[in-house]
Amino acid sequence: MYAAEKTCFHPSWIEINLMQLQKNMAIIRGLIGKSLYCLPIKANAYGHGLYPVARAAVENGIDYLAVAHLQEGILLREKGISTPILVLGAIHEDQILDLIAYNLEFTISSKFKADLVASKCEKYKKTCRIHMEVDTGMQRTGVRPITAVSLFAHLKKMPYVEVVGVYSHFAKGGEVGEKQLSDFTLLTERLLLNEKRPILRHIANSLGVTHFPLSYFDMVRPSILTFGYVEKDAPKIFQELRPCFSLKSRISYFKVVEKGQGISYNHTFVTKKRTRIVTIPIGYGDGYLRALSNKGEVLIRGKRFPIVGSICMDQLMCDIGDNEAYVGDEVVLIGKQGDEEISLREIASLTNTIDYEILCLFNNRIPRIYL
Ligand SMILES: *Cc1c(COP(=O)(O)O)cnc(C)c1O
């Protein structure tokens, strides 16, 4: 645990089990053969904490880190991380010098950006390391396969530009993914035919790692999988991975409420009988979605209890019926307690979103505690 991240600052906390994270990494490492392991840690490492996750990954021998933006890369370099870092997002002209100064590899997906980069590099006599992104079906960033060949040739001619990799990104599994994979395979075979130096080909995100073993190439980029979230239809070996993220709090107040009483703002819940209501000091101001009002459940003393009434900015209420619970008891909002578990997927499906988004919602108001 880091001294600056004690629970006393906030009555709720996120627990990150770095040992579990490293176990997950070891399992994935065992399955990807000789491919390099790149861990994308954009968006505060999917809410797990950018630097602590980077440090744990580096200690565990990660080959590459990836981020979405320059600013995330700078943060890691300033904290002393020296592992190769790839910036995945599109870059801006005024970021080029910082990208180079901080020794960050970045993505090029158009001739326009390539020329901007080349002219900056020439002017300052600095070499940059880039990966060319090819769009095989996302329609987001990336050069189309038909123009990839000429852009690649163009990049190779630039004296201050070193092409380190060529990559793409899966939009979907199934037949679409198969087609993306075969397009990428054919294209990179053609691109690298006369290439003497090794160039990293990479396309596999978590979906690629679990569903397309032929997508591993020279490097894989599984993130949500590393954090322990596995699709139900993934092969059995992957089912050993476990989440390392839990959201916890403590009961801050207890009261007995008579039948027919409305709870919280607008009284969206009315008690049907005399019951016990406990207050938990977490709310949408921390990133715990208000959409879970009258829907979500929490664990107290190993049992599930419903959230009743509207979730407030900093607090929410639970109906524990005739059960016993006291101020100070631990509450689990995401994760395990005893034999019960509230999964991230459960929270995501109750709020019509995906597990990725729920993880990203928790802001820095809630301390992360590292085990
Ligand atoms: C975020 C990201 C990944 C990781 O995706 P997961 O689905 O979490 O494995 C891989 N590649 C790129 C380009 C990304 O933006």
Side-chain angles (χ1 to χ4, degrees):
M1 190 192 304
Y2 300 121
E5 291 173 291
K6 290 196 190 124
T7 46
C8 56
F9 297 131
H10 191 287
S12 302
W13 69 98
I14 287 167
E15 228 167 75
I16 306 292
N17 187 339
L18 290 177
M19 306 254 277
Q20 185 60 52
L21 180 75
Q22 293 188 331
K23 265 189 213 160
N24 292 348
M25 288 180 60
I27 293 170
I28 294 170
R29 173 75 79 188
L31 297 171
I32 59 173
K34 288 208 173 82
S35 304
L36 297 181
Y37 192 162
C38 170
L39 181 61
I41 48 173
K42 58 205 188 209
N44 199 26
Y46 289 40
H48 291 63
L50 182 70
Y51 174 64
V53 167
R55 204 175 72 164
V58 167
E59 280 169 6
N60 203 55
I62 200 80
D63 301 298
Y64 253 85
L65 296 168
V67 293
H69 304 299
L70 166 65
Q71 158 218 2
E72 296 168 316
I74 292 180
L75 232 139
L76 291 171
R77 287 285 183 253
E78 291 196 328
K79 291 267 197 178
I81 301 282
S82 59
T83 306
I85 298 175
L86 169 58
V87 176
L88 298 161
I91 57 143
H92 243 271
E93 183 177 0
D94 54 14
Q95 297 177 330
I96 297 168
L97 290 179
D98 274 338
L99 286 161
I100 297 169
Y102 284 95
N103 191 21
L104 300 168
E105 297 176 14
F106 55 95
T107 303
I108 291 289
S109 36
S110 69
K111 183 172 179 297
F112 172 72
K113 290 275 170 73
D115 289 341
L116 274 179
V117 168
S119 67
K120 274 259 176 4
C121 290
E122 259 165 58
K123 183 169 168 197
Y124 293 95
K125 303 275 180 278
K126 299 255 192 220
T127 301
C128 65
R129 289 165 62 82
I130 63 107
H131 294 239
M132 182 178 82
E133 186 187 1
V134 184
D135 183 7
T136 53
M138 253 322 253
Q139 309 301 343
R140 188 170 65 178
T141 48
V143 64
R144 283 172 214 289
I146 40 166
T147 22
V149 180
S150 64
L151 179 58
F152 187 74
H154 189 61
L155 287 165
K156 294 293 294 180
K157 277 188 265 162
M158 297 177 162
Y160 291 96
V161 174
E162 187 185 338
V163 184
V164 180
V166 174
Y167 80 93
S168 191
H169 191 53
F170 284 116
K172 193 170 188 271
E175 279 172 31
V176 172
E178 298 276 5
K179 175 79 167 60
Q180 289 191 265
L181 178 55
S182 75
D183 286 356
F184 184 71
T185 308
L186 291 174
L187 175 74
T188 50
E189 273 170 12
R190 193 170 151 209
L191 280 184
L192 308 184
L193 201 59
N194 299 313
E195 194 51 50
K196 283 169 206 72
R197 281 184 313 139
I199 289 198
L200 299 173
R201 293 159 298 167
H202 49 111
I203 184 170
N205 54 358
S206 296
L207 170 86
V209 170
T210 51
H211 289 73
F212 298 116
L214 292 175
S215 71
Y216 296 1
F217 294 100
D218 307 304
M219 183 158 87
V220 297
R221 313 185 305 260
S223 215
I224 198 94
L225 190 69
T226 305
F227 292 118
Y229 302 98
V230 187
E231 292 295 330
K232 283 204 187 73
D233 63 349
K236 222 175 154 189
I237 336 179
F238 293 101
Q239 306 297 339
E240 285 174 43
L241 298 164
R242 293 276 174 273
C244 42
F245 179 106
S246 319
L247 177 63
K248 299 186 176 181
S249 187
R250 289 190 189 284
I251 294 175
S252 59
Y253 205 87
F254 170 99
K255 63 161 60 97
V256 175
V257 176
E258 296 301 325
K259 180 181 167 181
Q261 298 295 309
I263 307 259
S264 193
Y265 290 122
N266 301 316
H267 288 182
T268 59
F269 178 87
V270 177
T271 52
K272 291 183 191 66
K273 60 179 183 64
R274 186 175 205 256
T275 192
R276 296 169 174 181
I277 300 290
V278 295
T279 301
I280 299 159
I282 186 167
Y284 62 82
D286 303 293
Y288 190 81
L289 281 170
R290 188 170 172 276
L292 289 161
S293 301
N294 294 309
K295 278 191 192 161
E297 293 182 321
V298 307
L299 304 177
I300 300 168
R301 298 188 169 200
K303 279 194 191 165
R304 280 177 177 261
F305 295 108
I307 294 171
V308 290
S310 292
I311 293 171
C312 310
M313 192 180 285
D314 319 301
Q315 307 180 71
L316 57 83
M317 274 68 88
C318 278
D319 186 347
I320 62 165
D322 297 327
N323 288 274
E324 297 238 320
Y326 292 101
V327 169
D329 280 359
E330 184 185 87
V331 180
V332 171
L333 297 107
I334 297 174
K336 279 189 174 168
Q337 195 185 51
D339 298 328
E340 271 287 356
E341 179 171 10
I342 293 180
S343 69
L344 190 62
R345 190 151 299 150
E346 171 182 338
I347 301 279
S349 83
L350 284 174
T351 50
N352 290 317
T353 183
I354 52 173
D355 35 16
Y356 296 74
E357 187 179 17
I358 301 292
L359 287 173
C360 291
L361 288 173
F362 298 105
N363 53 42
N364 282 332
R365 203 180 175 206
I366 310 191
R368 269 80 171 160
I369 307 291
Y370 295 90
L371 305 180

PDB file of all heavy atoms in Angstrom, residues 284-315:
ATOM      1  N   TYR A 284     -22.916   8.843  -7.063  1.00  0.00           N
ATOM      2  CA  TYR A 284     -22.537   9.086  -8.462  1.00  0.00           C
ATOM      3  C   TYR A 284     -21.397  10.087  -8.586  1.00  0.00           C
ATOM      4  O   TYR A 284     -20.692  10.112  -9.592  1.00  0.00           O
ATOM      5  CB  TYR A 284     -23.754   9.479  -9.320  1.00  0.00           C
ATOM      6  CG  TYR A 284     -24.448  10.754  -8.928  1.00  0.00           C
ATOM      7  CD1 TYR A 284     -23.959  11.997  -9.332  1.00  0.00           C
ATOM      8  CD2 TYR A 284     -25.617  10.728  -8.171  1.00  0.00           C
ATOM      9  CE1 TYR A 284     -24.604  13.172  -8.971  1.00  0.00           C
ATOM     10  CE2 TYR A 284     -26.278  11.894  -7.809  1.00  0.00           C
ATOM     11  CZ  TYR A 284     -25.754  13.111  -8.212  1.00  0.00           C
ATOM     12  OH  TYR A 284     -26.384  14.269  -7.857  1.00  0.00           O
ATOM     13  N   GLY A 285     -21.163  10.881  -7.528  1.00  0.00           N
ATOM     14  CA  GLY A 285     -20.025  11.805  -7.541  1.00  0.00           C
ATOM     15  C   GLY A 285     -18.680  11.077  -7.510  1.00  0.00           C
ATOM     16  O   GLY A 285     -17.635  11.663  -7.796  1.00  0.00           O
ATOM     17  N   ASP A 286     -18.726   9.803  -7.162  1.00  0.00           N
ATOM     18  CA  ASP A 286     -17.506   8.983  -7.162  1.00  0.00           C
ATOM     19  C   ASP A 286     -17.406   8.153  -8.434  1.00  0.00           C
ATOM     20  O   ASP A 286     -16.382   7.540  -8.699  1.00  0.00           O
ATOM     21  CB  ASP A 286     -17.530   8.014  -5.972  1.00  0.00           C
ATOM     22  CG  ASP A 286     -17.676   8.726  -4.648  1.00  0.00           C
ATOM     23  OD1 ASP A 286     -16.743   9.442  -4.263  1.00  0.00           O
ATOM     24  OD2 ASP A 286     -18.739   8.582  -3.995  1.00  0.00           O
ATOM     25  N   GLY A 287     -18.523   8.097  -9.174  1.00  0.00           N
ATOM     26  CA  GLY A 287     -18.555   7.272 -10.377  1.00  0.00           C
ATOM     27  C   GLY A 287     -19.422   6.039 -10.228  1.00  0.00           C
ATOM     28  O   GLY A 287     -19.472   5.189 -11.116  1.00  0.00           O
ATOM     29  N   TYR A 288     -20.129   5.928  -9.099  1.00  0.00           N
ATOM     30  CA  TYR A 288     -21.065   4.813  -8.927  1.00  0.00           C
ATOM     31  C   TYR A 288     -22.415   5.266  -9.494  1.00  0.00           C
ATOM     32  O   TYR A 288     -23.090   6.115  -8.926  1.00  0.00           O
ATOM     33  CB  TYR A 288     -21.179   4.426  -7.451  1.00  0.00           C
ATOM     34  CG  TYR A 288     -21.940   3.129  -7.249  1.00  0.00           C
ATOM     35  CD1 TYR A 288     -21.306   1.902  -7.418  1.00  0.00           C
ATOM     36  CD2 TYR A 288     -23.288   3.139  -6.935  1.00  0.00           C
ATOM     37  CE1 TYR A 288     -22.010   0.712  -7.277  1.00  0.00           C
ATOM     38  CE2 TYR A 288     -24.002   1.958  -6.782  1.00  0.00           C
ATOM     39  CZ  TYR A 288     -23.343   0.746  -6.957  1.00  0.00           C
ATOM     40  OH  TYR A 288     -24.050  -0.426  -6.818  1.00  0.00           O
ATOM     41  N   LEU A 289     -22.771   4.687 -10.634  1.00  0.00           N
ATOM     42  CA  LEU A 289     -23.874   5.218 -11.453  1.00  0.00           C
ATOM     43  C   LEU A 289     -25.224   5.360 -10.743  1.00  0.00           C
ATOM     44  O   LEU A 289     -25.713   4.418 -10.123  1.00  0.00           O
ATOM     45  CB  LEU A 289     -24.073   4.304 -12.671  1.00  0.00           C
ATOM     46  CG  LEU A 289     -23.095   4.488 -13.816  1.00  0.00           C
ATOM     47  CD1 LEU A 289     -23.250   3.363 -14.830  1.00  0.00           C
ATOM     48  CD2 LEU A 289     -23.358   5.833 -14.482  1.00  0.00           C
ATOM     49  N   ARG A 290     -25.825   6.515 -10.937  1.00  0.00           N
ATOM     50  CA  ARG A 290     -27.149   6.768 -10.393  1.00  0.00           C
ATOM     51  C   ARG A 290     -28.188   5.841 -11.011  1.00  0.00           C
ATOM     52  O   ARG A 290     -29.229   5.549 -10.413  1.00  0.00           O
ATOM     53  CB  ARG A 290     -27.507   8.235 -10.641  1.00  0.00           C
ATOM     54  CG  ARG A 290     -28.770   8.688  -9.962  1.00  0.00           C
ATOM     55  CD  ARG A 290     -28.908  10.204 -10.069  1.00  0.00           C
ATOM     56  NE  ARG A 290     -30.215  10.646  -9.585  1.00  0.00           N
ATOM     57  CZ  ARG A 290     -31.306  10.641 -10.329  1.00  0.00           C
ATOM     58  NH1 ARG A 290     -31.274  10.245 -11.580  1.00  0.00           N
ATOM     59  NH2 ARG A 290     -32.456  11.052  -9.813  1.00  0.00           N
ATOM     60  N   ALA A 291     -27.908   5.368 -12.226  1.00  0.00           N
ATOM     61  CA  ALA A 291     -28.821   4.431 -12.902  1.00  0.00           C
ATOM     62  C   ALA A 291     -28.996   3.129 -12.116  1.00  0.00           C
ATOM     63  O   ALA A 291     -29.889   2.342 -12.398  1.00  0.00           O
ATOM     64  CB  ALA A 291     -28.310   4.134 -14.305  1.00  0.00           C
ATOM     65  N   LEU A 292     -28.165   2.913 -11.119  1.00  0.00           N
ATOM     66  CA  LEU A 292     -28.300   1.700 -10.291  1.00  0.00           C
ATOM     67  C   LEU A 292     -29.324   1.882  -9.159  1.00  0.00           C
ATOM     68  O   LEU A 292     -29.604   0.941  -8.419  1.00  0.00           O
ATOM     69  CB  LEU A 292     -26.938   1.303  -9.707  1.00  0.00           C
ATOM     70  CG  LEU A 292     -25.941   0.751 -10.737  1.00  0.00           C
ATOM     71  CD1 LEU A 292     -24.517   0.824 -10.219  1.00  0.00           C
ATOM     72  CD2 LEU A 292     -26.309  -0.683 -11.109  1.00  0.00           C
ATOM     73  N   SER A 293     -29.899   3.076  -9.063  1.00  0.00           N
ATOM     74  CA  SER A 293     -30.927   3.348  -8.053  1.00  0.00           C
ATOM     75  C   SER A 293     -32.062   2.333  -8.183  1.00  0.00           C
ATOM     76  O   SER A 293     -32.547   2.080  -9.294  1.00  0.00           O
ATOM     77  CB  SER A 293     -31.523   4.751  -8.264  1.00  0.00           C
ATOM     78  OG  SER A 293     -30.521   5.734  -8.189  1.00  0.00           O
ATOM     79  N   ASN A 294     -32.458   1.727  -7.090  1.00  0.00           N
ATOM     80  CA  ASN A 294     -33.532   0.718  -7.065  1.00  0.00           C
ATOM     81  C   ASN A 294     -33.258  -0.493  -7.964  1.00  0.00           C
ATOM     82  O   ASN A 294     -34.181  -1.230  -8.309  1.00  0.00           O
ATOM     83  CB  ASN A 294     -34.886   1.344  -7.433  1.00  0.00           C
ATOM     84  CG  ASN A 294     -35.348   2.349  -6.391  1.00  0.00           C
ATOM     85  OD1 ASN A 294     -35.376   2.043  -5.206  1.00  0.00           O
ATOM     86  ND2 ASN A 294     -35.679   3.557  -6.825  1.00  0.00           N
ATOM     87  N   LYS A 295     -32.006  -0.682  -8.371  1.00  0.00           N
ATOM     88  CA  LYS A 295     -31.652  -1.815  -9.237  1.00  0.00           C
ATOM     89  C   LYS A 295     -30.454  -2.592  -8.709  1.00  0.00           C
ATOM     90  O   LYS A 295     -30.439  -3.812  -8.735  1.00  0.00           O
ATOM     91  CB  LYS A 295     -31.255  -1.310 -10.628  1.00  0.00           C
ATOM     92  CG  LYS A 295     -32.400  -1.008 -11.537  1.00  0.00           C
ATOM     93  CD  LYS A 295     -31.824  -0.783 -12.934  1.00  0.00           C
ATOM     94  CE  LYS A 295     -32.870  -0.180 -13.845  1.00  0.00           C
ATOM     95  NZ  LYS A 295     -32.237   0.445 -15.008  1.00  0.00           N
ATOM     96  N   GLY A 296     -29.439  -1.846  -8.280  1.00  0.00           N
ATOM     97  CA  GLY A 296     -28.186  -2.484  -7.879  1.00  0.00           C
ATOM     98  C   GLY A 296     -28.311  -3.170  -6.522  1.00  0.00           C
ATOM     99  O   GLY A 296     -29.274  -2.944  -5.771  1.00  0.00           O
ATOM    100  N   GLU A 297     -27.338  -4.012  -6.228  1.00  0.00           N
ATOM    101  CA  GLU A 297     -27.278  -4.665  -4.924  1.00  0.00           C
ATOM    102  C   GLU A 297     -25.872  -4.516  -4.364  1.00  0.00           C
ATOM    103  O   GLU A 297     -24.928  -4.243  -5.111  1.00  0.00           O
ATOM    104  CB  GLU A 297     -27.624  -6.148  -5.061  1.00  0.00           C
ATOM    105  CG  GLU A 297     -29.075  -6.364  -5.453  1.00  0.00           C
ATOM    106  CD  GLU A 297     -29.451  -7.841  -5.542  1.00  0.00           C
ATOM    107  OE1 GLU A 297     -28.647  -8.650  -6.021  1.00  0.00           O
ATOM    108  OE2 GLU A 297     -30.576  -8.158  -5.122  1.00  0.00           O
ATOM    109  N   VAL A 298     -25.752  -4.689  -3.054  1.00  0.00           N
ATOM    110  CA  VAL A 298     -24.429  -4.653  -2.421  1.00  0.00           C
ATOM    111  C   VAL A 298     -24.312  -5.856  -1.491  1.00  0.00           C
ATOM    112  O   VAL A 298     -25.321  -6.485  -1.156  1.00  0.00           O
ATOM    113  CB  VAL A 298     -24.203  -3.345  -1.615  1.00  0.00           C
ATOM    114  CG1 VAL A 298     -24.469  -2.117  -2.477  1.00  0.00           C
ATOM    115  CG2 VAL A 298     -25.057  -3.315  -0.361  1.00  0.00           C
ATOM    116  N   LEU A 299     -23.085  -6.165  -1.092  1.00  0.00           N
ATOM    117  CA  LEU A 299     -22.870  -7.273  -0.160  1.00  0.00           C
ATOM    118  C   LEU A 299     -22.510  -6.731   1.217  1.00  0.00           C
ATOM    119  O   LEU A 299     -21.641  -5.872   1.353  1.00  0.00           O
ATOM    120  CB  LEU A 299     -21.728  -8.165  -0.652  1.00  0.00           C
ATOM    121  CG  LEU A 299     -21.866  -8.740  -2.057  1.00  0.00           C
ATOM    122  CD1 LEU A 299     -20.613  -9.551  -2.421  1.00  0.00           C
ATOM    123  CD2 LEU A 299     -23.105  -9.619  -2.164  1.00  0.00           C
ATOM    124  N   ILE A 300     -23.237  -7.237   2.207  1.00  0.00           N
ATOM    125  CA  ILE A 300     -22.913  -6.912   3.601  1.00  0.00           C
ATOM    126  C   ILE A 300     -22.973  -8.225   4.370  1.00  0.00           C
ATOM    127  O   ILE A 300     -23.959  -8.972   4.244  1.00  0.00           O
ATOM    128  CB  ILE A 300     -23.933  -5.900   4.188  1.00  0.00           C
ATOM    129  CG1 ILE A 300     -23.940  -4.599   3.389  1.00  0.00           C
ATOM    130  CG2 ILE A 300     -23.626  -5.632   5.663  1.00  0.00           C
ATOM    131  CD1 ILE A 300     -25.099  -3.661   3.708  1.00  0.00           C
ATOM    132  N   ARG A 301     -21.929  -8.509   5.125  1.00  0.00           N
ATOM    133  CA  ARG A 301     -21.868  -9.775   5.876  1.00  0.00           C
ATOM    134  C   ARG A 301     -22.182 -10.986   4.986  1.00  0.00           C
ATOM    135  O   ARG A 301     -22.920 -11.892   5.355  1.00  0.00           O
ATOM    136  CB  ARG A 301     -22.822  -9.735   7.058  1.00  0.00           C
ATOM    137  CG  ARG A 301     -22.433  -8.629   8.019  1.00  0.00           C
ATOM    138  CD  ARG A 301     -23.244  -8.686   9.283  1.00  0.00           C
ATOM    139  NE  ARG A 301     -22.663  -7.789  10.262  1.00  0.00           N
ATOM    140  CZ  ARG A 301     -22.885  -7.882  11.566  1.00  0.00           C
ATOM    141  NH1 ARG A 301     -23.642  -8.835  12.049  1.00  0.00           N
ATOM    142  NH2 ARG A 301     -22.336  -7.022  12.387  1.00  0.00           N
ATOM    143  N   GLY A 302     -21.655 -10.927   3.759  1.00  0.00           N
ATOM    144  CA  GLY A 302     -21.775 -12.067   2.846  1.00  0.00           C
ATOM    145  C   GLY A 302     -23.133 -12.252   2.197  1.00  0.00           C
ATOM    146  O   GLY A 302     -23.386 -13.252   1.535  1.00  0.00           O
ATOM    147  N   LYS A 303     -24.046 -11.281   2.377  1.00  0.00           N
ATOM    148  CA  LYS A 303     -25.380 -11.398   1.775  1.00  0.00           C
ATOM    149  C   LYS A 303     -25.666 -10.224   0.866  1.00  0.00           C
ATOM    150  O   LYS A 303     -25.174  -9.120   1.096  1.00  0.00           O
ATOM    151  CB  LYS A 303     -26.444 -11.376   2.888  1.00  0.00           C
ATOM    152  CG  LYS A 303     -26.656 -12.677   3.581  1.00  0.00           C
ATOM    153  CD  LYS A 303     -27.966 -12.551   4.368  1.00  0.00           C
ATOM    154  CE  LYS A 303     -28.145 -13.702   5.326  1.00  0.00           C
ATOM    155  NZ  LYS A 303     -29.193 -13.393   6.308  1.00  0.00           N
ATOM    156  N   ARG A 304     -26.546 -10.449  -0.115  1.00  0.00           N
ATOM    157  CA  ARG A 304     -26.938  -9.381  -1.047  1.00  0.00           C
ATOM    158  C   ARG A 304     -28.091  -8.562  -0.486  1.00  0.00           C
ATOM    159  O   ARG A 304     -29.054  -9.145   0.021  1.00  0.00           O
ATOM    160  CB  ARG A 304     -27.455  -9.999  -2.350  1.00  0.00           C
ATOM    161  CG  ARG A 304     -26.392 -10.443  -3.283  1.00  0.00           C
ATOM    162  CD  ARG A 304     -27.058 -11.094  -4.497  1.00  0.00           C
ATOM    163  NE  ARG A 304     -26.005 -11.445  -5.410  1.00  0.00           N
ATOM    164  CZ  ARG A 304     -25.671 -10.698  -6.470  1.00  0.00           C
ATOM    165  NH1 ARG A 304     -26.359  -9.613  -6.775  1.00  0.00           N
ATOM    166  NH2 ARG A 304     -24.671 -11.065  -7.240  1.00  0.00           N
ATOM    167  N   PHE A 305     -27.999  -7.248  -0.632  1.00  0.00           N
ATOM    168  CA  PHE A 305     -29.115  -6.385  -0.240  1.00  0.00           C
ATOM    169  C   PHE A 305     -29.344  -5.329  -1.313  1.00  0.00           C
ATOM    170  O   PHE A 305     -28.388  -4.846  -1.935  1.00  0.00           O
ATOM    171  CB  PHE A 305     -28.816  -5.697   1.113  1.00  0.00           C
ATOM    172  CG  PHE A 305     -28.710  -6.676   2.243  1.00  0.00           C
ATOM    173  CD1 PHE A 305     -27.486  -6.969   2.816  1.00  0.00           C
ATOM    174  CD2 PHE A 305     -29.847  -7.326   2.715  1.00  0.00           C
ATOM    175  CE1 PHE A 305     -27.373  -7.893   3.850  1.00  0.00           C
ATOM    176  CE2 PHE A 305     -29.750  -8.246   3.750  1.00  0.00           C
ATOM    177  CZ  PHE A 305     -28.510  -8.534   4.322  1.00  0.00           C
ATOM    178  N   PRO A 306     -30.622  -4.961  -1.529  1.00  0.00           N
ATOM    179  CA  PRO A 306     -30.940  -4.016  -2.603  1.00  0.00           C
ATOM    180  C   PRO A 306     -30.664  -2.557  -2.229  1.00  0.00           C
ATOM    181  O   PRO A 306     -30.878  -2.151  -1.083  1.00  0.00           O
ATOM    182  CB  PRO A 306     -32.442  -4.231  -2.818  1.00  0.00           C
ATOM    183  CG  PRO A 306     -32.950  -4.708  -1.498  1.00  0.00           C
ATOM    184  CD  PRO A 306     -31.822  -5.487  -0.861  1.00  0.00           C
ATOM    185  N   ILE A 307     -30.219  -1.807  -3.216  1.00  0.00           N
ATOM    186  CA  ILE A 307     -30.122  -0.353  -3.080  1.00  0.00           C
ATOM    187  C   ILE A 307     -31.533   0.188  -3.231  1.00  0.00           C
ATOM    188  O   ILE A 307     -32.232  -0.161  -4.187  1.00  0.00           O
ATOM    189  CB  ILE A 307     -29.196   0.226  -4.170  1.00  0.00           C
ATOM    190  CG1 ILE A 307     -27.762  -0.270  -3.953  1.00  0.00           C
ATOM    191  CG2 ILE A 307     -29.262   1.761  -4.194  1.00  0.00           C
ATOM    192  CD1 ILE A 307     -26.805   0.069  -5.077  1.00  0.00           C
ATOM    193  N   VAL A 308     -31.972   0.985  -2.270  1.00  0.00           N
ATOM    194  CA  VAL A 308     -33.336   1.517  -2.352  1.00  0.00           C
ATOM    195  C   VAL A 308     -33.310   3.042  -2.432  1.00  0.00           C
ATOM    196  O   VAL A 308     -32.482   3.702  -1.792  1.00  0.00           O
ATOM    197  CB  VAL A 308     -34.221   1.051  -1.160  1.00  0.00           C
ATOM    198  CG1 VAL A 308     -34.520  -0.437  -1.278  1.00  0.00           C
ATOM    199  CG2 VAL A 308     -33.570   1.376   0.177  1.00  0.00           C
ATOM    200  N   GLY A 309     -34.193   3.564  -3.255  1.00  0.00           N
ATOM    201  CA  GLY A 309     -34.254   5.015  -3.457  1.00  0.00           C
ATOM    202  C   GLY A 309     -33.162   5.474  -4.400  1.00  0.00           C
ATOM    203  O   GLY A 309     -32.292   4.690  -4.818  1.00  0.00           O
ATOM    204  N   SER A 310     -33.216   6.775  -4.733  1.00  0.00           N
ATOM    205  CA  SER A 310     -32.228   7.329  -5.660  1.00  0.00           C
ATOM    206  C   SER A 310     -30.854   7.370  -5.026  1.00  0.00           C
ATOM    207  O   SER A 310     -30.726   7.753  -3.864  1.00  0.00           O
ATOM    208  CB  SER A 310     -32.617   8.758  -6.034  1.00  0.00           C
ATOM    209  OG  SER A 310     -33.783   8.724  -6.808  1.00  0.00           O
ATOM    210  N   ILE A 311     -29.859   7.011  -5.808  1.00  0.00           N
ATOM    211  CA  ILE A 311     -28.475   7.151  -5.355  1.00  0.00           C
ATOM    212  C   ILE A 311     -28.134   8.641  -5.360  1.00  0.00           C
ATOM    213  O   ILE A 311     -28.444   9.346  -6.327  1.00  0.00           O
ATOM    214  CB  ILE A 311     -27.541   6.339  -6.282  1.00  0.00           C
ATOM    215  CG1 ILE A 311     -27.829   4.840  -6.104  1.00  0.00           C
ATOM    216  CG2 ILE A 311     -26.076   6.669  -6.027  1.00  0.00           C
ATOM    217  CD1 ILE A 311     -27.140   3.940  -7.100  1.00  0.00           C
ATOM    218  N   CYS A 312     -27.551   9.130  -4.286  1.00  0.00           N
ATOM    219  CA  CYS A 312     -27.196  10.551  -4.172  1.00  0.00           C
ATOM    220  C   CYS A 312     -25.761  10.762  -4.687  1.00  0.00           C
ATOM    221  O   CYS A 312     -25.102   9.818  -5.079  1.00  0.00           O
ATOM    222  CB  CYS A 312     -27.284  11.004  -2.725  1.00  0.00           C
ATOM    223  SG  CYS A 312     -28.818  10.564  -1.899  1.00  0.00           S
ATOM    224  N   MET A 313     -25.310  11.994  -4.620  1.00  0.00           N
ATOM    225  CA  MET A 313     -23.961  12.291  -5.107  1.00  0.00           C
ATOM    226  C   MET A 313     -22.887  11.565  -4.280  1.00  0.00           C
ATOM    227  O   MET A 313     -21.915  11.048  -4.836  1.00  0.00           O
ATOM    228  CB  MET A 313     -23.724  13.802  -5.073  1.00  0.00           C
ATOM    229  CG  MET A 313     -22.486  14.234  -5.828  1.00  0.00           C
ATOM    230  SD  MET A 313     -22.231  16.010  -5.765  1.00  0.00           S
ATOM    231  CE  MET A 313     -23.465  16.606  -6.892  1.00  0.00           C
ATOM    232  N   ASP A 314     -23.102  11.517  -2.967  1.00  0.00           N
ATOM    233  CA  ASP A 314     -22.049  10.966  -2.097  1.00  0.00           C
ATOM    234  C   ASP A 314     -22.504   9.790  -1.239  1.00  0.00           C
ATOM    235  O   ASP A 314     -21.711   9.264  -0.461  1.00  0.00           O
ATOM    236  CB  ASP A 314     -21.548  12.047  -1.123  1.00  0.00           C
ATOM    237  CG  ASP A 314     -21.400  13.385  -1.800  1.00  0.00           C
ATOM    238  OD1 ASP A 314     -20.630  13.444  -2.765  1.00  0.00           O
ATOM    239  OD2 ASP A 314     -22.077  14.337  -1.380  1.00  0.00           O
ATOM    240  N   GLN A 315     -23.774   9.431  -1.346  1.00  0.00           N
ATOM    241  CA  GLN A 315     -24.305   8.400  -0.451  1.00  0.00           C
ATOM    242  C   GLN A 315     -25.404   7.606  -1.139  1.00  0.00           C
ATOM    243  O   GLN A 315     -26.024   8.077  -2.087  1.00  0.00           O
ATOM    244  CB  GLN A 315     -24.903   9.056   0.805  1.00  0.00           C
ATOM    245  CG  GLN A 315     -23.934   9.994   1.499  1.00  0.00           C
ATOM    246  CD  GLN A 315     -24.529  10.627   2.740  1.00  0.00           C
ATOM    247  OE1 GLN A 315     -24.727   9.964   3.761  1.00  0.00           O
ATOM    248  NE2 GLN A 315     -24.827  11.901   2.666  1.00  0.00           N
TER     249      GLN A 315
END
